Amino acid sequence: MSARALLHSFSPHFRPRISPPDFSVSKKSFGFSLPELKRREFLHFRVRLQSDEGCGVFRVSVRNSGRGGKVYADVKSEPYEISDTVPESVKFQDGLNDVVLSEGELESSAPWWEEFPKRWVIVILCFSAFLLCNMDRVNMSIAILPMSAEFNWNPATVGLIQSSFFWGYLLTQIAGGIWADTVGGKLVLGFGVVWWSIATALTPVAAKVGLPFLLFVRAFMGIGEGVAMPAMNNILSKWVPVSERSRSLALVYSGMYLGSVTGLAFSPFLIHQFGWPSVFYSFGSLGTVWFAVWLNKAYSSPLDDPQLRPEEKQLIFAHSVSKEPVKTIPWGLILSKAPVWALIVSHFCHNWGTFILLTWMPTYYNQVLKFNLTESGLLCVLPWLTMAFSANLGGWIADTLVSKGLSVTTVRKIMQTIGFLGPAFFLTQLSHVNSPAMAVLCMACSQVCFLVYDI
């Protein structure tokens, strides 16, 4: 039942000075939805219309015909009085509520969580997934210290265990992107979180069974985390307009940094209080909570979401680059392009530095700088905590530069230049500093520069 049709069906004396907003009976206006209305036999309410010449009140009686779910409305006028003021609103009254809907208030009457953009719900869920990703990844960096003492592992064995994660991680990078294009990013990212969460929880059991089993479980965990990045990129490319992409990616990547902060901060406490296995059990169990929310809220594409508001869907598609579904991958053509190899080499170098620091920083603090387990964990937090704040700042700067007229290519080159030259300078200074405080400062500065590579 359209209010526009109702308003314009009366005498011109009661038409508002402006064209009335087009809105329909909804749950937020009357306290019930149209399906609920169809189940009611009778409903009575009043509509008061005000214009320059007076105020008219009309009594509306709605009845359910019971045939085919149709609803009929009878409208009767009541005496009216002259009004000097003309509020630009339409007031609906029933026996329970008085709700005033004006043209500027139609979109603000719903609860804030219903008005929150769905694309940013997807971004926050991806942020949470990467938070868990790095929590489950860095806990071994702290737990390896008491584990190596308990199982009498030498440095070569410790290095083998730390690297076994990347055996599986390497296998699913490209495959994860192909799967996301085929079955959708929602399923692939959900699968990855469940997979690596199970592997995390199984780590203490595997370590006690034997070294080969531990290596297998760590590689098994890497398989799950390997699909996270390509699946996330697939989802955000469909949900986030180009003008918001840098800041959304910055927020998701800051989830990785905050995951490192959380894992490195809480792991020493859990180890001290409950023993090193508690780290893997507690962190691994969080994946089930995330997965339940993900299944309920996430969709691979705006086209798949039945609850997405039309205006947001229009915004997403109006500011996104439309692409045809990928059916065949032209590997020869892709690998023949120089920019592709430039990205491969730069990404290799970036990951080399990032993962070396992520994996070995606690050991460096413990064995070289002689910090204890708790100090190693807390000091490892500082670089990643700085990155979490700076990443979002970098994302906003990048989007601002693009909005000012700089090309996306130019902005990316600026960011990547800072992302490589900055860490190269600060990490080379580690061999020249003598105090632990300066070493931590160099680590933090190098990590701050690393972050802009991903923007």
Side-chain angles (χ1 to χ4, degrees):
M1 181 173 60
S2 173
R4 181 181 292 273
L6 180 64
L7 293 175
H8 284 274
S9 65
F10 302 122
S11 168
H13 295 292
F14 299 109
R15 292 179 186 172
R17 291 181 298 176
I18 61 172
S19 178
D22 188 8
F23 58 92
S24 301
V25 175
S26 65
K27 187 171 184 177
K28 67 184 180 182
S29 301
F30 290 96
F32 46 82
S33 62
L34 283 178
E36 295 171 328
L37 171 61
K38 292 179 180 179
R39 292 194 295 268
R40 295 193 177 199
E41 185 175 358
F42 293 102
L43 174 69
H44 304 284
F45 60 92
R46 289 183 175 87
V47 178
R48 186 176 69 194
L49 303 180
Q50 291 179 295
S51 69
D52 294 324
E53 301 184 17
C55 172
V57 179
F58 300 87
R59 184 175 67 246
V60 182
S61 300
V62 181
R63 58 186 174 86
N64 190 342
S65 69
R67 299 188 299 273
K70 295 182 179 179
V71 177
Y72 296 90
D74 298 322
V75 182
K76 296 181 179 179
S77 64
E78 295 182 352
Y80 66 91
E81 57 186 4
I82 301 298
S83 174
D84 294 331
T85 59
V86 189
E88 296 177 354
S89 63
V90 182
K91 184 172 183 180
F92 288 87
Q93 295 180 326
D94 64 8
L96 299 177
N97 342 224
D98 288 338
V99 181
V100 177
L101 295 176
S102 65
E103 193 166 21
E105 296 172 340
L106 289 174
E107 296 300 325
S108 62
S109 58
W112 67 267
W113 57 86
E114 292 183 8
E115 300 293 335
F116 190 76
K118 185 59 180 289
R119 64 188 182 277
W120 283 98
V121 172
I122 301 297
V123 171
I124 291 172
L125 286 172
C126 290
F127 162 87
S128 304
F130 278 76
L131 181 85
L132 294 176
C133 178
N134 267 34
M135 283 178 61
D136 292 342
R137 185 183 299 180
V138 303
N139 55 13
M140 178 60 81
S141 301
I142 297 293
I144 197 71
L145 300 174
M147 290 173 71
S148 60
E150 179 177 334
F151 297 108
N152 198 26
W153 292 331
N154 57 37
T157 303
V158 171
L160 184 64
I161 295 170
Q162 297 276 48
S163 64
S164 60
F165 165 85
F166 297 98
W167 303 346
Y169 193 75
L170 177 64
L171 293 177
T172 53
Q173 290 284 300
I174 297 177
I178 297 174
W179 293 337
D181 286 336
T182 304
V183 302
K186 174 182 178 177
L187 290 178
V188 176
L189 184 55
F191 157 82
V193 174
V194 171
W195 187 284
W196 84 58
S197 297
I198 293 174
T200 300
L202 290 176
T203 299
V205 178
K208 294 177 181 179
V209 172
L211 181 60
F213 294 94
L214 177 60
L215 297 177
F216 174 79
V217 168
R218 292 296 294 175
F220 187 83
M221 177 181 173
I223 289 174
E225 293 205 3
V227 305
M229 192 74 70
M232 178 273 296
N233 284 315
N234 178 278
I235 293 174
L236 294 192
S237 68
K238 297 176 181 177
W239 273 97
V240 180
V242 174
S243 60
E244 299 177 356
R245 202 157 289 173
S246 289
R247 71 194 72 170
S248 65
L249 284 173
L251 179 61
V252 173
Y253 287 130
S254 68
M256 297 175 60
Y257 313 139
L258 287 175
S260 300
V261 169
T262 305
L264 294 170
F266 282 93
S267 292
F269 171 78
L270 292 173
I271 292 173
H272 180 73
Q273 294 292 328
F274 308 105
W276 63 264
S278 64
V279 175
F280 300 99
Y281 294 140
S282 58
F283 287 8
S285 63
L286 294 176
T288 59
V289 179
W290 179 91
F291 184 66
V293 179
W294 179 253
L295 284 181
N296 185 47
K297 297 295 184 181
Y299 292 89
S300 296
S301 168
L303 295 174
D304 300 331
D305 191 343
Q307 298 178 340
L308 183 64
R309 290 181 292 125
E311 56 269 28
E312 184 175 6
K313 182 181 292 187
Q314 181 180 2
L315 172 66
I316 292 172
F317 286 109
H319 296 85
S320 298
V321 179
S322 59
K323 297 179 181 179
E324 295 294 329
V326 177
K327 297 180 179 178
T328 58
I329 302 176
W331 289 110
L333 181 63
I334 292 174
L335 296 177
S336 66
K337 302 297 183 180
V340 173
W341 285 103
L343 288 173
I344 292 174
V345 172
S346 64
H347 201 64
F348 172 86
C349 296
H350 173 265
N351 284 350
W352 180 280
T354 299
F355 290 128
I356 286 291
L357 292 179
L358 186 67
T359 304
W360 289 100
M361 194 185 299
T363 303
Y364 169 76
Y365 285 158
N366 178 256
Q367 297 183 358
V368 178
L369 300 182
K370 304 303 180 182
F371 295 140
N372 59 37
L373 178 63
T374 302
E375 291 174 331
S376 297
L378 293 178
L379 288 171
C380 286
V381 163
L382 296 178
W384 302 103
L385 186 61
T386 306
M387 290 178 72
F389 290 104
S390 302
N392 291 283
L393 177 62
W396 283 93
I397 292 174
D399 279 343
T400 301
L401 292 176
V402 171
S403 66
K404 295 295 184 181
L406 269 71
S407 68
V408 175
T409 302
T410 301
V411 173
R412 296 295 184 267
K413 287 181 177 179
I414 293 173
M415 293 298 181
Q416 293 212 11
T417 300
I418 298 172
F420 281 110
L421 295 183
F425 172 77
F426 287 110
L427 290 178
T428 54
Q429 303 307 305
L430 283 175
S431 60
H432 305 294
V433 298
N434 298 319
S435 68
M438 288 301 298
V440 173
L441 179 62
C442 286
M443 286 282 195
C445 292
S446 67
Q447 293 296 83
V448 169
C449 295
F450 259 132
L451 67 92
V452 298
Y453 167 85
D454 295 312
I455 301 303

